[in-house]
Amino acid sequence: MSWTRENRWRAVLVLAGVIFTVAAPGVLELFTIINLSTVIALAILALSLGLIWGYGGILCFGQTAFFGIGAYAYTIAAINFGGSSWAVLIAILAAAVFAAVLGYFMFYGRVSDVYMAVITLTVTLILYSLLRRTSGPEYKIGDALLGGFNGVTSPPLNLPWAPYMPLFPEHVFYVGMAVLIIGYIICAWLIQTHFGRVSVAIRENELRAELIGYDTRFYKLAMFTIGGAIAGAGGIIFANGVGRVTPDIFNLYNSALAIIWVIVGGRGTLAGPVMGAFALFYLTSWLGTQGVVNNNLVLGLILIVFVLAVPRGLLPTFISWWDGARSRRAMQRRELKVRRKRSRRSSDQREVTHEK
Amino acid sequence: MDLVIALALQIVYGIASLVLISLGLAIIFGMMRVINLAHGEFLMLGGYTVVISTNQGVNIWFAMLVLAPLVVGIIGVLVERLLIQFLYGRMVDTLLATWGLSLLFVGLVTSIFGAQTATTISPPLGVIQIGDYSSSAYELFLIAVTVVLLLLVYAVLKLTKLGLVARATMQSDEMASALGVSTKRIYMITFGLGAAVSGLAGGLLAPVTGVLPSIGATYIAKAFITVISGGASILAGTTAASILLGGINGIMAFLTGPTLGEVALLAAAIILIRLLPTGITGRFFRKSL
Amino acid sequence: MKSEIVVETRNLSMHFGGVKAVDRVNFNLRENELRCLIGPNGAGKSTFFKCLTGQLAPTSGDVVIRDFNGTGRLPHQIARLGVGIKTQVPNVFDGLSVTENIWLAARRWHGAARARSLTSQTVERLKLGDIRADTVGQLAHGQRQWVELGMVVAAEPWLVLLDEPAAGMTHDEIERTVEIIREINQQSTMIVVEHDMQFIRMISSKVTVFHEGRILIEDTMDVVTADPRVREVYLGSGGS
């Protein structure tokens, strides 16, 4: 990874994240820290969608499906195995495999991107309605009762070498931040590899990518699977942050949220969606405490306004505004210099004429 | 024998309700290539129109068959004028904007009527007996309405000037504008009609399902599956997909219970889309409406 | 001594509904040849081209490239045979820079170091140095065409298929493009689809004339232009 301007900024962000991780528990209240774990989980989901949509050009309206599968798989496996190490692996694997199977049908079936959006959303909604029906005692996987719309209580994470020492809720914050930061670094690295650059090329022009010999189906499938795995990891943190996983994880509102984070933060950036997740979480919970306007209403308005007025999202718009402002400032400085020189020259001339 | 009749009736009802909840979406998609993610909310608004007006003392039949399509149709025209018309040709943006609209409608209705079920109305027409089995007469009525609705849409597409122009627009935008047709107006009317059909469907289903601000989400998955599996042809596609998916769902639900019925429906749809990415009518009955 | 046949179609047909866009075409191309496909609009040359490049799967018949049956293969499978393809509408990566575009093509076949040197060589070769860092989406039409040619060349293909490489170019740009094509032909066998007669004259190669989905005549440009049938269907019908 070379130290381009983007990578310098990425390094700054990673550093800020590390400092926040270390400092936050000393400054913030315990309640806030526990609450943060949930937001971090959502931010990881946002990161995964930012990767596959913003860089891979894959329009997935159901990224929460992999997030939810990660959360459910973790919970069920942790209940059955009694420790979390295998459960973590199984959860990430389950999310990745589900993404791979779904992706195979879509990419090798050459489904257009609009259909892809609808299919992924539909699959998520079907998972929602299926899991809501699992309330009877017959719906159990090993020792884990699925519990219908009440969901399942998630066992807490533990350190791999101490299976009977569950982490305290505040420690989940550290794990979550670690996953978020490592996930961010992996994504930033990935988009600069040959694989990542081909994925971006496919986003730009799929036919051209095929004509120069890339099997675009395979690249999209791989990207989609990686995105699914990251979302699954987010689901593990979510299950730990909330302490319970319910079918609501798959509902339409959450799918919409994921899309809105990326739209608001900006496609084609990694930090944008993450920031979008944080910002909207605090906006909606603040609105919730005010109790004046309905969250759906606000989110709906935000989505419409951004599509119509700020289609690139905040971060890219800000970056190009900043670049524009900087080059304008540079130009002004140059002009100023020229003008000063000129005025000096003309005043010299004036002096000359005076002398005459 | 009674069991067979009752079962057949159940399956036909399943198919009819699939057609009912998908047709409005199919009209808008087939004619305008716009996938309306607020489709579920159009159904929801139709349901609310019926429940609220009936509770105000309006005749239930009038509320279902006239008010619901009218109110939602007008909402549809407004939506097209205020939002959709700025996004033609940008399919992804249209998807996103209509999703925003969907959230907006859910939020509005929740703010006005609360998040809980509004006072429900019971299905009219009572029960009919088939031997040992009983069936709701209202379900029979819905089957009949679905058939009439399909015939009506067919007649509009086939016989009216609007239908002719709409079909020309479906073929190609340029052809329609070359004919001197204002595609703008056609799009507005089409969107309004699609919304009206959705409103009608939502109104008709309200006595069966009740109404909730978030009820759109329960319809939308099935409506999408049906329309995508059906492909671009509005009537043939929706009907064929509904028969196939509704049939599979009904039979599996009878054999193994409703949960596996839904799983079977999903599995069938996914396999179908893998085999026929452009839907049933993308491969078969291509010339159909 | 005649060289080996490297591209062959046998009874290749492509039907759209009732329209026979390509109708039982038998076509041969020898190694190191530079062949132009011409014909009026709707003659089937572009459809034929799309069947060769895997953008369309033919209704019937075969496409054989070297010993490989390319019928109904996908574009990336055709490309993998060492075939470079330029489409009619410039297909480039609009959001990426000129270097990035060309690098993506070079890197498909070579390791990182070789791809980098190949990229800068190609940029030199096509005289794209002044615009190497520019975003392709902001370039003029002719420059975008050259970037696409650059992507074709960077993969070092032995067979190059170009669909209307000079479309929408100014006269100067066309001359430059002709130079590039001649240069590519030093190492590669080529098929160029074009309807600009002057352009073909400048390339001066053997010409295959398409008409109503079939091959009308196949000869040098002089013979072809003198042929009364060609005059009738092509020049007579108001073609350029």
Side-chain angles (χ1 to χ4, degrees):
Chain A
M1 216 190 283
S2 63
W3 289 106
T4 58
R5 190 178 68 136
E6 281 91 352
N7 281 336
R8 275 200 297 274
W9 277 111
R10 285 179 186 134
V12 169
L13 277 175
V14 166
L15 201 66
V18 171
I19 292 170
F20 178 72
T21 312
V22 175
V27 183
L28 298 171
E29 283 172 44
L30 181 63
F31 172 75
T32 316
I33 290 291
I34 293 171
N35 213 351
L36 262 172
S37 313
T38 313
V39 197
I40 292 163
L42 299 178
I44 297 167
L45 172 62
L47 178 72
S48 74
L49 186 60
L51 176 72
I52 67 159
W53 188 14
Y55 289 90
I58 299 164
L59 189 57
C60 176
F61 276 11
Q63 194 68 6
T64 47
F66 316 124
F67 186 71
I69 284 172
Y72 263 101
Y74 165 78
T75 304
I76 292 162
I79 289 173
N80 281 305
F81 293 126
S84 70
S85 305
W86 282 108
V88 167
L89 278 180
I90 287 171
I92 294 174
L93 207 65
V97 167
F98 188 75
V101 172
L102 184 62
Y104 170 76
F105 274 101
M106 294 191 303
F107 303 129
Y108 284 74
R110 302 237 159 215
V111 172
S112 74
D113 60 349
V114 176
Y115 271 25
M116 195 150 46
V118 172
I119 290 170
T120 48
L121 180 61
T122 307
V123 166
T124 314
L125 292 177
I126 284 167
L127 285 172
Y128 173 66
S129 68
L130 283 183
L131 279 163
R132 275 175 68 93
R133 290 187 181 177
T134 57
S135 49
E138 70 273 26
Y139 294 106
K140 61 194 293 186
I141 299 173
D143 298 333
L145 265 176
L146 291 176
F149 57 88
N150 288 320
V152 205
T153 308
S154 306
L157 283 166
N158 57 258
L159 296 173
W161 54 88
Y164 297 105
M165 289 260 290
L167 292 183
F168 290 114
E170 63 267 34
H171 295 150
V172 175
F173 166 77
Y174 291 118
V175 181
M177 279 308 286
V179 174
L180 178 60
I181 291 171
I182 294 169
Y184 178 78
I185 294 173
I186 290 177
C187 290
W189 166 76
L190 193 70
I191 56 175
Q192 296 176 61
T193 59
H194 181 208
F195 169 80
R197 292 165 80 175
V198 173
S199 293
V200 171
I202 292 169
R203 177 194 74 188
E204 291 292 316
N205 190 332
E206 186 164 356
L207 176 61
R208 176 37 75 192
E210 280 181 73
L211 290 174
I212 56 180
Y214 294 106
D215 186 350
T216 59
R217 302 169 303 179
F218 170 78
Y219 280 85
K220 284 165 124 180
L221 180 59
M223 195 58 147
F224 196 62
T225 308
I226 294 168
I230 296 173
I236 300 169
I237 306 298
F238 188 80
N240 272 277
V242 180
R244 162 176 289 281
V245 46
T246 69
D248 277 330
I249 204 168
F250 296 111
N251 72 18
L252 192 61
Y253 179 79
N254 284 327
S255 309
L257 264 182
I259 291 292
I260 295 172
W261 298 327
V262 178
I263 289 276
V264 168
R267 280 165 277 180
T269 66
L270 292 171
V274 171
M275 292 173 185
F278 275 95
L280 278 163
F281 180 85
Y282 285 106
L283 175 71
T284 47
S285 35
W286 178 74
L287 286 173
T289 57
Q290 301 292 305
V292 188
V293 276
N294 181 280
N295 273 347
N296 278 298
L297 198 121
V298 176
L299 290 175
L301 273 179
I302 289 178
L303 185 48
I304 293 173
V305 167
F306 268 80
V307 169
L308 291 176
V310 202
R312 294 163 62 203
L314 288 180
L315 193 56
T317 308
F318 174 76
I319 290 171
S320 57
W321 170 82
W322 178 260
D323 285 352
R326 205 163 60 162
S327 65
R328 263 196 306 280
R329 273 199 304 276
M331 204 134 60
Q332 273 166 1
R333 264 199 301 276
R334 228 172 299 142
E335 262 172 38
L336 214 63
K337 233 182 253 170
V338 171
R339 219 176 291 154
R340 248 186 241 141
K341 233 183 252 168
R342 245 186 241 146
S343 66
R344 210 178 298 142
R345 210 178 297 145
S346 60
S347 62
D348 288 349
Q349 280 169 351
R350 232 174 289 141
E351 277 164 28
V352 172
T353 43
H354 267 290
E355 278 173 22
K356 266 190 182 170
Chain B
M1 191 56 212
D2 298 341
L3 174 69
V4 173
I5 294 175
L7 178 64
L9 206 61
Q10 211 46 49
I11 290 173
V12 173
Y13 172 67
I15 293 168
S17 59
L18 267 187
V19 171
L20 217 47
I21 61 176
S22 319
L23 194 59
L25 184 71
I27 289 173
I28 292 173
F29 175 61
M31 293 222 210
M32 305 165 67
R33 285 291 170 275
V34 165
I35 295 183
N36 175 25
L37 270 172
H39 173 70
E41 280 60 45
F42 282 177
L43 290 160
M44 179 267 286
L45 290 170
Y48 267 87
T49 308
V50 168
V51 170
I52 288 158
S53 55
T54 311
N55 287 334
Q56 296 293 318
V58 177
N59 177 295
I60 187 169
W61 300 105
F62 180 74
M64 285 195 302
L65 297 174
V66 180
L67 272 185
L70 193 67
V71 168
V72 181
I74 291 170
I75 293 172
V77 170
L78 286 176
V79 165
E80 199 277 343
R81 282 294 91 188
L82 295 175
L83 184 64
I84 310 291
Q85 67 152 327
F86 303 111
L87 298 167
Y88 284 125
R90 290 155 59 188
M91 286 187 83
V92 173
D93 287 342
T94 316
L95 266 180
L96 294 168
T98 51
W99 200 349
L101 199 66
S102 144
L103 293 167
L104 191 74
F105 279 140
V106 173
L108 268 178
V109 172
T110 312
S111 307
I112 299 171
F113 302 107
Q116 301 308 311
T117 310
T119 328
T120 44
I121 43 174
S122 49
L125 295 176
V127 177
I128 52 164
Q129 248 359 87
I130 306 167
D132 294 340
Y133 301 90
S134 61
S135 174
S136 148
Y138 188 66
E139 290 184 0
L140 286 178
F141 169 72
L142 285 185
I143 294 171
V145 171
T146 307
V147 173
V148 172
L149 192 62
L150 284 173
L151 289 175
L152 214 63
V153 174
Y154 179 79
V156 169
L157 284 177
K158 197 80 185 176
L159 304 175
T160 65
K161 182 158 177 271
L162 172 74
L164 177 73
V165 173
R167 275 183 289 147
T169 318
M170 266 159 79
Q171 298 290 327
S172 104
D173 230 21
E174 287 140 49
M175 181 152 84
S177 29
L179 288 169
V181 176
S182 149
T183 41
K184 235 177 164 176
R185 227 180 96 234
I186 292 298
Y187 277 168
M188 187 179 82
I189 295 172
T190 308
F191 202 86
L193 278 180
V197 170
S198 308
L200 176 68
L204 287 168
L205 290 168
V208 185
T209 58
V211 286
L212 268 177
S214 58
I215 199 165
T218 57
Y219 292 128
I220 200 160
K222 282 186 186 167
F224 279 152
I225 288 183
T226 311
V227 172
I228 290 187
S229 311
S233 302
I234 298 167
L235 291 172
T238 310
T239 315
S242 296
I243 290 173
L244 186 67
L245 299 175
I248 289 173
N249 183 14
I251 291 165
M252 283 303 285
F254 170 73
L255 294 175
T256 58
T259 309
L260 279 181
E262 296 244 315
V263 175
L265 189 153
L266 169 71
I270 286 185
I271 292 167
L272 197 69
I273 290 163
R274 175 70 182 88
L275 297 177
L276 306 170
T278 48
I280 298 172
T281 53
R283 176 73 67 84
F284 309 108
F285 327 111
R286 284 167 82 154
K287 296 271 160 63
S288 53
L289 282 175
Chain C
M1 190 196 86
K2 284 212 160 178
S3 51
E4 174 198 7
I5 289 177
V6 288
V7 178
E8 187 181 3
T9 73
R10 299 186 199 119
N11 283 321
L12 190 74
S13 296
M14 181 76 213
H15 299 176
F16 297 105
V19 183
K20 294 175 176 173
V22 173
D23 193 19
R24 281 166 287 152
V25 168
N26 291 300
F27 173 88
N28 290 320
L29 184 76
R30 291 179 185 280
E31 195 159 13
N32 295 326
E33 204 177 327
L34 167 55
R35 179 77 65 88
C36 285
L37 308 185
I38 65 168
N41 280 333
K45 56 193 192 308
S46 271
T47 307
F48 178 75
F49 184 86
K50 282 186 176 159
C51 289
L52 285 184
T53 55
Q55 293 175 71
L56 287 174
T59 315
S60 62
D62 286 311
V63 176
V64 180
I65 298 175
R66 285 246 156 100
D67 293 325
F68 182 84
N69 190 334
T71 320
R73 301 290 174 143
L74 295 168
H76 74 265
Q77 291 167 326
I78 301 289
R80 247 172 230 181
L81 303 174
V83 182
I85 300 155
K86 187 204 163 305
T87 51
Q88 192 173 351
V89 187
N91 266 303
V92 285
F93 304 121
D94 274 332
L96 309 178
S97 73
V98 172
T99 332
E100 181 92 356
N101 267 267
I102 292 169
W103 179 83
L104 280 159
R107 184 69 178 84
R108 173 67 185 85
W109 312 104
H110 302 285
R114 176 96 180 89
R116 218 173 304 133
S117 72
L118 204 56
T119 304
S120 48
Q121 271 172 38
T122 308
V123 169
E124 296 275 296
R125 201 169 153 195
L126 293 184
K127 302 203 172 82
L128 298 170
D130 294 343
I131 53 167
R132 64 164 67 220
D134 292 6
T135 307
V136 173
Q138 287 161 357
L139 296 179
H141 180 78
Q143 289 172 317
R144 280 154 54 91
Q145 301 260 44
W146 289 336
V147 172
E148 202 181 6
L149 276 177
M151 279 194 269
V152 171
V153 175
E156 299 184 306
W158 63 266
L159 174 65
V160 174
L161 310 175
L162 307 177
D163 196 354
E164 303 202 8
M169 285 190 169
T170 63
H171 186 75
D172 290 347
E173 285 171 336
I174 289 178
E175 280 187 351
R176 174 90 192 94
T177 306
V178 169
E179 266 173 53
I180 296 171
I181 289 175
R182 286 224 186 92
E183 201 198 300
I184 297 173
N185 189 225
Q186 309 268 305
Q187 287 119 31
S188 319
T189 312
M190 289 183 90
I191 298 177
V192 179
V193 174
E194 192 48 77
H195 61 225
D196 183 340
M197 286 293 210
Q198 257 190 318
F199 180 79
I200 292 158
R201 242 176 236 291
M202 283 157 88
I203 302 178
S204 69
S205 70
K206 191 172 169 187
V207 171
T208 300
V209 184
F210 271 75
H211 179 57
E212 292 177 346
R214 291 173 176 232
I215 294 177
L216 188 69
I217 179 174
E218 207 165 64
D219 216 312
T220 63
M221 194 61 187
D222 292 334
V223 178
V224 163
T225 37
D227 190 284
R229 287 173 304 169
V230 174
R231 283 174 175 277
E232 194 188 319
V233 305
Y234 194 88
L235 305 170
S237 67
S240 45

